[in-house]
Amino acid sequence: MFVNEQGEAVGRILSVKGAIATVALPEGNLAKEMEGPATVGKFLSVHTRDAHLIALVSYVRREDPNLARAFGHYSVAEVDMMGQFIDDNGEMKFRRGVTHYPTIGDAVSLVTRDQLRVIYAVNGPNMIEIGKLQQDTAVSACVNIQDMVGKHFAILGTTGVGKSTSVALILDLILQTRPDLRIFLLDTHNEYARCFKGRAFSITPRNLKLPFWLFNFEEFVDVIYGGRPGPDEGVDVLGELIPQAKAAYAQQKTGLRRADTRNSGYTVDTPVPYRLADLVQMIDDQMGKLENRTSRMKFNRLISRIETVRNDPRYQFMFENANVGGDTMAETLMQLFRLPPDGMPMTIMQLAGFPPEVIDAVVSVMGRMAFDFGLWSDGAAPVLFVCEEAHRYASADKATGFGPTRKALSRIAKEGRKYGVYLGLITQRPAELDPTILSQCNTLFAMRLSNERDQAFLRAAVSDAGANLLDYVPSLGTAEVLAFGEGVALPTRLKFNHLPEHKRPAGEADANSKVDMNGSLPIDFLNAVIERWRGIGNSQSSQRSGARMDDGSAVEDPAETFEMVRQEFSSLPTGYQGSPLPASPPLVPSNAPSLGDPGRFSVRKPLPAHGDPSEAQRFQQPQPPAPPPPSGQPQTGAGARAAFSRFIPTKR
């Protein structure tokens, strides 16, 4: 039988209402009987005739009711009954839920350290220690990783409370405890790569190979139209011709010809390869069959949109082999979900380098592929999908955000655990997160939240008996957290363990803070920064790998140049006064070829001098339109595009 350290009761039950009881406490609020007062968040033990219950103090007040004075007690506390101790073959264990309720007059004592250790038992292969109890820092606070991960979890907290460090701590422990589990982390601010060096593979636009045909129809349309709704005519054309382009490519690969590619059996969402050139050609052919000038212009605009995106160097990770073809789906899955892990079971997708208008579509593809891979592999390789800044991708407002992204995360939340796909959400604005998705997370870690809407939303999401603790969310300290749900034995206030400096997340701005911005910067440093800014370093590195100049020297990678210059400059002493920057540095000569031009390394004819109309006027004078075809003959292919190019408004 558990008794308090003094071997005597320190309070009595005054009333019981469901799982809530009122306890009379002695003068001094138990100050003499325990190391600290019985205040909110403390645990008490209730001794009934048949069981020993554990109750959590949720409210304390000073009163002098007659019944309390009769027992010699002057303070009253309201407690939530959380669970009870049971005898398991001579071994005391803790179990949530109450089967024997107390009666009026039952004794109440302080929970001892030994009892706390039984409640938060560390033994077991699925238990991980994440911190120390606030009530007794000598007792470890543990979570059941199987329940936490297998039933989804969420970490909520405002900026500056240690949320990112807590995420790094939990993921580090998961990697140690569950080596069979793949972790896919959406790193919005590129701050986690340094925490998992040697154990995680970082994906950036420079090394990602995500073919455009892996995007479903909604995702592809979102990319083509830059995150804006596409016109109905263009969307309808794509919906009709994309399956035909897939069928045409399949026929080309197999050598089997069908009279009509429209009956191929492919849909707009079937993840099979096709060539973008085939799609553009089909749109061009359709345009040539039209007689209405307005409709032709709409087709031409669609082709222009596709070609603009395909030629944009920022989208190189999607369209690098757009006109080559090839089924690389297996290689993409191996890269994304670490199959096999090769000592790196974690993937960190650094989203800060992707074009902002395409991030939603990319996240949608990642979430959808994670779920579909689990579905069609019968959960052969369990995946934990961790989403930083989750409110950006699964907004509570259906009118904002990208619907397919919300749908992909919602599907993981509702059905993912059946197929070995689990969800971890991290957000600083829970009120802006889809409540349906958050409600599927059965373990919540609530850090400090100052916004009233966020607090109200959190209160609605927590159904635990210890929800009264949420009144103290605004006053939590840094790295302090209230843990609720299946992963913890009881609703608990704890403080996360300290992480060493090299395992703490930090953005690139922190990592580059050694550069003295007060001194004069070398021109090479600024040139490298500007080149990264313009996106060249993200998209052209793969093309320039191994490229040579005319003199045989290697072409430099701008990202590597930036890092080399940064490290060299960061080693200079503080206050370095190098040569000042010129007033107007000629960063790029006006007649220099574009870095994206494949012929930029060859000798070119110089541009004509100012005033020489022989060549310059050719680019200034409008070209005469192509002659129309004979009457009754439809225009097709490139001829149709040239004939109607004059109807496209020209930018002035």
Side-chain angles (χ1 to χ4, degrees):
M1 171 180 174
F2 283 108
V3 296
N4 73 326
E5 295 176 347
Q6 289 71 30
E8 59 183 9
V10 294
R12 299 285 178 177
I13 294 293
L14 290 180
S15 64
V16 179
K17 183 179 180 180
I20 300 176
T22 303
V23 179
L25 301 175
E27 179 68 19
N29 197 11
L30 291 183
K32 297 179 181 179
E33 287 78 6
M34 59 189 300
E35 296 179 0
T39 185
V40 172
K42 299 287 186 178
F43 289 106
L44 298 177
S45 178
V46 181
H47 304 270
T48 69
R49 184 180 64 178
D50 301 313
H52 290 275
L53 312 180
I54 296 299
L56 179 67
V57 179
S58 60
Y59 180 66
V60 178
R61 65 182 183 273
R62 180 63 180 262
E63 289 186 0
D64 294 310
N66 294 331
L67 185 57
R69 285 200 302 271
F71 285 105
H73 297 247
Y74 302 92
S75 298
V76 175
E78 290 185 1
V79 297
D80 298 317
M81 287 173 283
M82 312 300 300
Q84 64 187 43
F85 291 105
I86 60 173
D87 188 348
D88 185 9
N89 296 325
E91 180 183 2
M92 279 295 177
K93 292 186 177 181
F94 178 77
R95 184 179 65 188
R96 297 189 70 164
V98 176
T99 57
H100 303 280
Y101 287 87
T103 58
I104 295 177
D106 283 345
V108 177
S109 65
L110 171 68
V111 171
T112 66
R113 180 171 296 174
D114 290 338
Q115 289 176 320
L116 288 175
R117 286 174 174 162
V118 171
I119 296 173
Y120 296 96
V122 187
N123 57 328
N126 295 323
M127 303 300 294
I128 58 174
E129 178 186 336
I130 61 173
K132 303 294 182 181
L133 293 184
Q134 188 269 345
Q135 177 165 339
D136 190 340
T137 56
V139 179
S140 299
C142 301
V143 298
N144 188 307
I145 188 174
Q146 185 65 32
D147 291 337
M148 181 187 73
V149 173
K151 299 179 181 179
H152 313 314
F153 68 93
I155 301 177
L156 319 173
T158 191
T159 302
V161 299
K163 184 169 71 273
S164 297
T165 303
S166 305
V167 172
L169 169 67
I170 291 177
L171 295 183
D172 181 68
L173 294 172
I174 292 175
L175 284 175
Q176 298 177 30
T177 311
R178 289 285 305 273
D180 63 310
L181 185 67
R182 271 66 171 178
I183 300 178
F184 190 96
L185 171 63
L186 295 175
D187 187 0
T188 306
H189 303 294
N190 296 4
E191 58 182 343
Y192 289 98
R194 69 190 299 262
C195 308
F196 304 97
K197 287 184 177 179
R199 296 181 296 165
F201 177 75
S202 296
I203 292 181
T204 67
R206 298 178 58 206
N207 62 7
L208 175 63
K209 306 298 180 185
L210 189 65
F212 68 94
W213 47 265
L214 282 177
F215 288 59
N216 67 19
F217 184 63
E218 291 179 286
E219 296 158 353
F220 183 74
V221 170
D222 188 73
V223 171
I224 294 300
Y225 289 99
R228 300 184 298 271
D232 293 340
E233 298 86 352
V235 173
D236 292 341
V237 170
L238 290 175
E240 177 185 355
L241 297 182
I242 286 178
Q244 297 183 38
K246 295 178 179 180
Y249 180 79
Q251 290 181 6
Q252 177 186 357
K253 298 298 290 184
T254 60
L256 300 177
R257 297 290 179 178
R258 290 187 179 182
D260 189 358
T261 56
R262 290 175 295 184
N263 298 323
S264 61
Y266 294 123
T267 70
V268 290
D269 295 331
T270 306
V272 296
Y274 65 96
R275 298 193 319 146
L276 206 60
D278 294 339
L279 177 62
V280 172
Q281 184 63 47
M282 290 179 177
I283 298 174
D284 208 354
D285 292 342
Q286 290 276 15
M287 180 176 65
K289 298 176 182 178
L290 298 175
E291 297 182 358
N292 184 281
R293 179 183 303 177
T294 303
S295 299
R296 291 168 178 166
M297 291 178 62
K298 293 176 181 178
F299 275 64
N300 211 325
R301 291 193 188 101
L302 175 59
I303 293 176
S304 298
R305 290 294 311 174
I306 296 175
E307 292 183 341
T308 298
V309 174
R310 178 175 63 87
N311 295 325
D312 191 331
R314 301 175 304 161
Y315 294 82
Q316 199 73 11
F317 66 94
M318 290 178 56
F319 299 105
E320 183 176 4
N321 296 315
N323 293 329
V324 177
D327 191 351
T328 58
M329 186 172 181
E331 290 80 359
T332 301
L333 290 173
M334 292 173 65
Q335 181 193 41
L336 295 178
F337 303 118
R338 308 304 301 153
L339 304 168
D342 292 330
M344 294 183 180
M346 182 176 183
T347 302
I348 300 177
M349 189 161 193
Q350 298 184 328
L351 295 174
F354 287 85
E357 59 270 19
V358 79
I359 286 181
D360 283 337
V362 171
V363 172
S364 176
V365 174
M366 298 297 105
R368 181 174 51 79
M369 290 184 66
F371 180 86
D372 288 344
F373 178 71
L375 171 65
W376 298 110
S377 68
D378 295 327
V383 176
L384 171 61
F385 195 86
V386 183
C387 187
E388 261 274 13
E389 302 289 347
H391 59 278
R392 295 176 53 178
Y393 312 113
S395 174
D397 186 0
K398 301 298 188 294
T400 62
F402 186 45
T405 308
R406 184 189 303 109
K407 181 180 179 181
L409 295 180
S410 177
R411 197 177 183 194
I412 295 177
K414 294 178 180 178
E415 309 173 48
R417 63 190 186 94
K418 301 176 182 178
Y419 309 108
V421 185
Y422 313 116
L423 185 64
L425 301 178
I426 298 96
T427 180
Q428 58 184 345
R429 292 305 312 272
E432 297 180 4
L433 183 64
D434 190 333
T436 303
I437 296 178
L438 185 61
S439 66
Q440 300 296 321
C441 297
N442 289 323
T443 302
L444 294 179
F445 298 95
M447 306 183 79
R448 184 168 68 244
L449 289 169
S450 303
N451 187 278
E452 292 184 0
R453 287 184 60 233
D454 293 332
Q455 297 172 26
F457 184 84
L458 180 61
R459 184 177 296 278
V462 174
S463 58
D464 208 299
N468 290 326
L469 289 176
L470 294 175
D471 290 337
Y472 297 88
V473 163
S475 61
L476 292 174
T478 300
E480 282 192 343
V481 62
L482 297 175
F484 302 89
E486 299 289 338
V488 292
L490 287 177
T492 308
R493 182 177 178 181
L494 60 96
K495 187 168 185 178
F496 282 117
N497 285 334
H498 177 78
L499 264 184
E501 184 67 26
H502 68 279
K503 288 189 175 183
R504 295 183 185 178
E508 290 185 350
D510 293 335
N512 296 337
S513 60
K514 294 181 180 179
V515 176
D516 180 19
M517 303 304 291
N518 296 320
S520 298
L521 294 176
I523 188 64
D524 290 342
F525 180 84
L526 287 184
N527 282 342
V529 170
I530 292 172
E531 199 166 8
R532 291 182 80 206
W533 192 343
R534 291 170 175 167
I536 299 174
N538 286 339
S539 59
Q540 301 295 332
S541 59
S542 60
Q543 293 183 358
R544 291 204 301 267
S545 177
R548 296 284 171 179
M549 299 289 287
D550 292 339
D551 60 0
S553 59
V555 180
E556 294 182 353
D557 186 342
E560 295 177 0
T561 302
F562 172 81
E563 182 63 20
M564 178 185 66
V565 175
R566 185 192 68 77
Q567 293 179 1
E568 179 179 353
F569 187 71
S570 64
S571 64
L572 296 175
T574 304
Y576 166 71
Q577 300 294 330
S579 57
L581 295 175
S584 300
L587 299 180
V588 181
S590 59
N591 61 345
S594 169
L595 287 176
D597 184 2
R600 62 189 180 279
F601 302 127
S602 60
V603 179
R604 291 190 172 186
K605 180 180 178 181
L607 293 176
H610 178 69
D612 182 6
S614 60
E615 291 289 340
Q617 288 184 358
R618 185 168 63 87
F619 299 97
Q620 298 172 0
Q621 298 296 330
Q623 300 297 313
S631 177
Q633 178 180 346
Q635 294 177 325
T636 60
R641 196 186 320 171
F644 295 100
S645 61
R646 64 182 185 275
F647 298 116
I648 302 176
T650 306
K651 294 183 179 179
R652 299 284 183 184

